[in-house]
Amino acid sequence: MVGSSHEALHRIFQKDPELLTRTLQRVLRVPFPRPTEIAALNVDLTEIEPVERRVDTLLRAETDEGTYLLVVESQGKADERKRGSWPYYLSYLYEKYRCEPVLIVITQSSATAKWASRPIRLGFPGRHSLTVRPLVLGPDNVPVIADEKQAEADPTLAVLSAMTHGRGPGAMAILESLASALRTIDSDSAAVFAQFVDSCLVDPQAKQMWRDLMTAVQYFWRHPLAEQVREEGREEGLQQGRVQKQQEMTLRVLEWRGIQVPDDVRERVLACTDLDRLEVWAQRAVHATDAAELFAGE
């Protein structure tokens, strides 16, 4: 069972390794040679027992022009520690396998994509000893596939599109096209891809929309893995109920105390899904003299 968008974003390339090279060619215009063979490798790069280093997905691509190691990292937000770990991964892999490593970062965030695209330069300014330039896939360059024929022509790319763009007003067309495409492939693969998408949809409305579409696809819900999706859905429903209750309580306390709640404050409270933070805001609402004091120091 895929439990998070982080896992789904890189594991899709384990399910269809050639998707990665197709995406590099089509999206990033990287003239990557056509692989003759692709194999998954051990992702554990630990050298010293107390220091664990692990990449998300590691693939070996054999081509007519040589062997490449495709290092796939799923990145949710900017993390400056990666400025040290990513160069380490590449250097270690080159030393171990003596073939060229290629770093690919995939993210659902435009801001994270911009951050990850920055070259990592180590050494003396102007004469750097090592420079790492990640190849980045994100919302600004992964194609939006909202046409059934396009989705059916390349279902796994359509899955990546839905995982990256499955939010906002265009989500319905993207998800409907993908649902149609999944009917054209084997049911086991379709069930796994459906879970990948389910894990990556952060918009509750889009997630419910996707589950409604999948309910109509009987082969998926008969699949043994589907029970795990349903169980996760039940737990997620309970969690959403707790979040909604805390949101409403925070706003009600302010209103009961006669404090005006501006639209921007109301929207921020209703957009928050972090129960711990909502609890802090609810406590502040009891003593606040202005609605903006909910967010003091944040």
Side-chain angles (χ1 to χ4, degrees), residues 4-290:
S4 71
S5 61
H6 175 94
E7 288 296 306
L9 278 172
H10 68 87
R11 282 180 57 184
I12 185 176
F13 298 117
Q14 297 175 14
K15 180 66 178 171
D16 181 7
E18 289 190 6
L19 171 66
L20 188 55
T21 56
R22 293 200 308 273
T23 307
L24 292 180
Q25 295 164 353
R26 176 176 172 180
V27 176
L28 298 181
R29 308 299 181 192
V30 175
F32 196 90
R34 185 177 183 277
T36 56
E37 180 184 347
I38 294 184
L41 300 179
N42 190 336
V43 298
D44 193 344
L45 309 185
T46 305
E47 285 186 287
I48 303 173
E49 187 65 27
V51 182
E52 181 180 356
R53 299 183 187 274
R54 190 180 298 273
V55 298
D56 288 333
T57 285
L58 179 61
L59 304 171
R60 185 186 67 238
E62 301 287 351
T63 76
D64 292 336
E65 300 177 20
T67 302
Y68 293 87
L69 297 175
L70 305 178
V71 183
V72 185
E73 284 282 277
S74 174
Q75 197 66 28
K77 60 183 179 180
D79 182 354
E80 289 302 316
R81 292 176 299 178
K82 296 295 185 179
R83 294 181 59 82
S85 58
W86 285 343
Y88 171 87
Y89 295 164
L90 301 181
S91 299
Y92 174 83
L93 289 168
Y94 180 77
E95 173 63 21
K96 181 175 181 178
Y97 293 100
R98 289 294 169 174
C99 51
E100 300 297 335
V102 180
L103 174 62
I104 301 105
V105 179
I106 181 165
T107 179
Q108 293 176 290
S109 163
S110 294
T112 302
K114 183 177 180 180
W115 165 81
S117 297
R118 289 167 29 208
I120 300 171
R121 297 187 175 93
L122 304 179
F124 191 77
R127 295 293 299 274
H128 298 98
S129 300
L130 177 64
T131 301
V132 175
R133 291 185 173 88
L135 300 174
V136 182
L137 298 170
D140 298 327
N141 57 15
V142 171
V144 175
I145 298 181
D147 176 82
E148 287 187 11
K149 290 184 178 179
Q150 285 185 325
E152 290 173 6
D154 194 340
T156 47
L157 183 60
V159 172
L160 183 61
S161 174
M163 290 160 64
T164 309
H165 300 288
R167 66 179 72 187
M172 187 63 182
I174 295 171
L175 297 177
E176 284 184 332
S177 298
L178 175 58
S180 176
L182 292 185
R183 294 185 180 95
T184 67
I185 64 176
D186 69 277
S187 59
D188 283 351
S189 293
V192 173
F193 287 147
Q195 289 184 55
F196 284 168
V197 175
D198 190 88
S199 295
C200 283
L201 292 174
V202 296
D203 182 342
Q205 185 175 1
K207 186 184 285 281
Q208 186 58 53
M209 185 188 307
W210 178 243
R211 290 181 172 181
D212 290 343
L213 286 168
M214 289 296 95
T215 299
V217 184
Q218 295 302 318
Y219 66 73
F220 171 68
W221 294 104
R222 287 199 304 267
H223 193 278
L225 295 175
E227 179 55 37
Q228 293 175 298
V229 173
R230 288 195 289 270
E231 182 61 31
E232 183 188 61
R234 285 191 286 269
E235 176 58 32
E236 185 171 310
L238 293 173
Q239 176 73 1
Q240 289 177 355
R242 290 191 286 266
V243 166
Q244 184 177 357
K245 183 177 180 180
Q246 196 72 24
Q247 291 168 339
E248 293 171 351
M249 184 194 311
T250 302
L251 296 173
R252 272 203 306 270
V253 169
L254 291 174
E255 291 165 354
W256 286 341
R257 298 184 61 237
I259 297 174
Q260 185 177 1
V261 182
D263 289 343
D264 61 331
V265 171
R266 183 179 302 276
E267 290 171 3
R268 184 169 175 180
V269 171
L270 294 177
C272 181
T273 58
D274 185 331
L275 270 174
D276 291 337
R277 176 168 291 182
L278 285 169
E279 184 175 346
V280 170
W281 290 351
Q283 292 172 358
R284 290 176 180 173
V286 175
H287 305 287
T289 56
D290 184 275

